[in-house]
Amino acid sequence: MAVNKNLEHVHNHQEHEHQHTHPQSKYEQALAKYNCNIKDEDVVAIVKKIITEKVHENDTLETKKFLFGSIELTTLKTTDSEDSVMAFTEKVNQFDEAYAELPHVATICVYPCYAKTVSETLEIDGVEIACVAACFPSSQSFPEIKIAETALALKDGATEIDIVMPVGKFLSGDYEGMCDEISELKSVCGEHSMKVILETGCLKTVSNIKKASILSMYAGADYIKTSTGKEKISATPEAAYVMCQAIKEYYDETGIQVGFKPAGGINSVMDAMIYYTIVKEVLGEKWLTNKWFRIGTSRLANLLLSEIEGKEVKFF
C-alpha cells in the first residue's frame, strides 16, 4: 500500500541521518522539495479571488446533495452519553428511510468510548465510524496512552481514526518527534484511514500550515484535517487553500492521494460551498468524492437538508 511504502521511506533514512553531525535532517530534506516560503497576504488574495469568481457557479442543488453525502456527522460533547450517541446514530438509520432519494452522511464521528455503541446501533451500509483518538483535542499525553486509545477504538468498531498532530513538537521544531508519533499511530491503524488534524488556528502562518501538511502526509496521514473545533480559530478558507495546495504538490511528487477534511466552525451552507470550491479549483474532480473530501460538522446537516428540500427541516 502506498502509505506503507511511504512509512518505510521515513524509517529507511534514520541510520544514515545519525552518521553525520549537522546534515539536513530527512524532514528538512522532505520539506525542501516543496515551496513552503509562502506569504499570508498572497494566500488571502488568491482565496478572495476564488470566492469572488468561482463560488456562485457551484451554488447548485447537485453540489448541496454532494456536500450532504460528504458530512462527518459529529458529536464531541462533554455531555455525550451512551443513550445520546445511540439516538444520534438512530437518526442516521431513520434518515435512510425518510429520504431514500438522498445520499446518507459519509461518517459518524464520536469519542472512542462510543465506537461500540455506534457500531452496534448503525444499520446503514457505507457509513464510516470515525473516532477522535490519541488524546484529542490536545494530543498531550504519553505515546503509550495514545496507542492504546487508538487500538481500543478500532477493536470496538471504529473504521477511521482522527488524531491531532503534536502541535507543540511541530512548533518547537521537533519534526522527528512529531513524525515518529504520527507514523506509529498509522501503524496501529493499519488499513484503516487515519486523519491528522493540524489545528491550523494554532500554527499562525500559512508557511507553517504548508510544512505541517507536508510532514503529516510524509509520516503517513491518509487525510489532513484543519481543526478540532475546540480552539478559538477553527477552519478558514486560507488554511484550506494551503492544505489543498500541499496535497496537490505531494500527489504530484509521490503519486499518493491524500484526502482533505475541513472541520470546526463550519456554520453555513455558504461556508461548505467555499470549501467545496477550493477543493475543486486546487485539486480537481478526482477529489470530489466522499472518499477524498469530508466535512466535519453537526449543524450543517439540517441547513443543507433545508436548502435541498426548500423548507426548514430539523431532522438531526
Side-chain angles (χ1 to χ4, degrees), residues 5 52 58 63 110 162 208 250 275:
K5 278 189 200 139
T52 309
N58 296 317
T63 303
V110 294
D162 292 25
N208 275 345
Y250 189 77
Y275 292 117

Side-chain angles (χ1 to χ4, degrees), residues 261-310:
K261 178 182 172 183
I266 300 171
N267 296 325
S268 70
V269 172
M270 185 47 72
D271 288 344
M273 209 70 81
I274 287 168
Y275 292 117
Y276 172 91
T277 304
I278 289 167
V279 170
K280 185 178 174 184
E281 292 303 311
V282 179
L283 292 168
E285 297 291 331
K286 191 168 181 172
W287 268 263
L288 291 178
T289 74
N290 77 354
K291 176 170 166 53
W292 298 108
F293 175 58
R294 303 275 181 77
I295 307 178
T297 180
S298 45
R299 55 178 79 90
L300 189 64
N302 285 331
L303 295 174
L304 272 169
L305 204 47
S306 299
E307 293 221 0
I308 290 164
E309 293 293 300

Side-chain angles (χ1 to χ4, degrees), residues 58-93:
N58 296 317
D59 191 357
T60 66
L61 189 61
E62 279 318 299
T63 303
K64 286 168 190 170
K65 286 180 181 175
F66 166 78
L67 285 166
F68 189 89
S70 293
I71 286 177
E72 299 212 335
L73 201 64
T74 303
T75 182
L76 298 171
K77 297 202 278 287
T78 305
T79 53
D80 286 344
S81 66
E82 212 164 289
D83 289 346
S84 73
V85 171
M86 200 181 289
F88 189 74
T89 308
E90 277 295 358
K91 281 286 183 193
V92 175
N93 293 339

Side-chain angles (χ1 to χ4, degrees), residues 70-76 84-93 104-111 114-115 117-119 121-124 126-132 157-162 195 261 294-295 297 316:
S70 293
I71 286 177
E72 299 212 335
L73 201 64
T74 303
T75 182
L76 298 171
S84 73
V85 171
M86 200 181 289
F88 189 74
T89 308
E90 277 295 358
K91 281 286 183 193
V92 175
N93 293 339
H104 49 63
V105 296
T107 317
I108 294 174
C109 182
V110 294
Y111 282 115
Y114 298 117
T117 306
V118 178
S119 171
T121 311
L122 185 63
E123 295 162 7
I124 307 304
V127 176
E128 301 290 346
I129 302 168
C131 283
V132 293
T159 61
E160 297 183 347
I161 294 291
D162 292 25
K195 307 184 199 95
K261 178 182 172 183
R294 303 275 181 77
I295 307 178
T297 180
F316 290 100

